[in-house]
Amino acid sequence: MNKFESELKKGNFIISECSDCKEIVWPPSNYCNKCFGHVKWRKPSEIGKLIEFSKKENVNFCIAEFEEKIRIMGTLIGEIISPKIGQRVKLKKCGLNDGQFNFTMALI
Amino acid sequence: MNKVCLVGYGNTKFSRENISIDSLLLSATKSLFEQNTNLNQKDIDAVIVSTNDNTKYLAAILSEIAGIKPKIAHTVESLCNSGANSTVSAYSYIASGLAKVVLVVGAERYDSPGQILDWDKSRGEFKHPIFWGSIFTKSHKRKFGTTEEELAIVSAKNHKNAQENPHAYSHKNYTVEELLNSKKLTEDLKVSDCSRSCTGASAILLASEDISKKFSSHPVKIKGIGQKTVSAGFTKNANFSCMQSTVDAGKMAYEMAGIKASDVDVAEIHDAFTVCELMALEDLGFVSHGKGAKYVKNLFDTENRKINPRGGLIGSGHPLGATGIAQIIEILQQLQGVAGKRQVENCKVGLVHNMSAAATSSTVLLLES
Ligand SMILES: [Zn+2]
């Protein structure tokens, strides 16, 4: 299990950033996919923007983008009337259970 | 570089049957030999298997049970476009002179492990293909005003075309109204918008042009190849109303062949979901962006079979590793003028579009009679 997964298991969302060229490496990896430099791990901004969304039964799901780079699919919770693309979202919860990754976001 | 032709094919009926992967591979190979009586096992220099099945060493296994002792034998796996990818490998072996005759066999079981890409963690718990299908559909609706009825027409057309395809998984015909009432899977997708994973196998034979007449009186040339992989992860697609890998692969194939979209007479398009057919037609330059639905409605209204004459993935079923090969067979039959009731009149140039994992990778082939 890498650092991303062990932290996610504890409910912490961390990302990898290259120590040399400062590129954010997403999906998380031990080496930079631009210069192959070592990465360091840090918390990203919890505020992102809504890229797209849909709904299955009563579960809203979306793609959100953080720091203009990190895109994740997750559950969109809270009152959702007419969400707008580009609207701000906050990462509320994340985890890793039985090999299953999950992210929960809310519109703000 | 040697020129490369398609010279033979073998088909099996797509189904939901529980058949072992080696039996599937053998049945398509047997069908190919039966339809190509000039072909001897000794002629085959390379055997390539296209599948997502977890069984190891399948190209050697198939070679043994089909009595072939090839120089080159291996599997190609690239999720849903394993078929077109293996054909590109076969092309390269012949073009380079490493092989003269290559057998490519694609097969998949209904319970294929190739439907979900576990690696793509950015999809969170939304790993099933219906989630990326929903995102693409929502995005296309938002950008171009695509309606549920327009999507249902894609499905109605492909189910209708599949009625004349003896190897299709289902021969049921549906009205647009029936499809509009089909079960909703998500806010943006109905059951009728989705292709269905199934069991099936398809085989093709490629040969160097100089010996192609030995195997076929109507060899079909592979004129253009384009392939592009933009990422592995779905969320890396730059936007969700256009498939960049398809745009790029199409451009490469057109350039290599010296052919324009307007020259294409018949095409097999990777309609994993209804919206994918619209997007691919736009991305491959058949129409401008946002005009795919109008184009398909016209095909449907005029009973024109130009796009997905065998019924596409939605009409025929989608046995992942066999799909690209089945698409190639359809275009080969069309260009040879032997497609029977599915025949598109006077076709000389055909296109195959096969893609994988939420359009993160696409392959486009241009064939000419
Ligand atoms: Zn770097």
Side-chain angles (χ1 to χ4, degrees), chain A residues 32-62:
Chain A
C32 172
N33 63 0
K34 219 172 173 183
C35 75
F36 296 99
H38 283 274
V39 300
K40 52 177 197 251
W41 298 90
R42 68 164 171 89
K43 283 189 106 164
S45 161
E46 284 180 348
I47 308 296
K49 63 178 182 187
L50 185 66
I51 299 291
E52 195 50 271
F53 62 93
S54 184
K55 188 177 184 178
K56 184 176 193 304
E57 285 153 13
N58 53 3
V59 176
N60 288 285
F61 58 94
C62 71

Side-chain angles (χ1 to χ4, degrees), chain A residues 18 20-23 32 34-37:
Chain A
C18 179
D20 299 331
C21 78
K22 308 298 172 205
E23 183 81 6
C32 172
K34 219 172 173 183
C35 75
F36 296 99

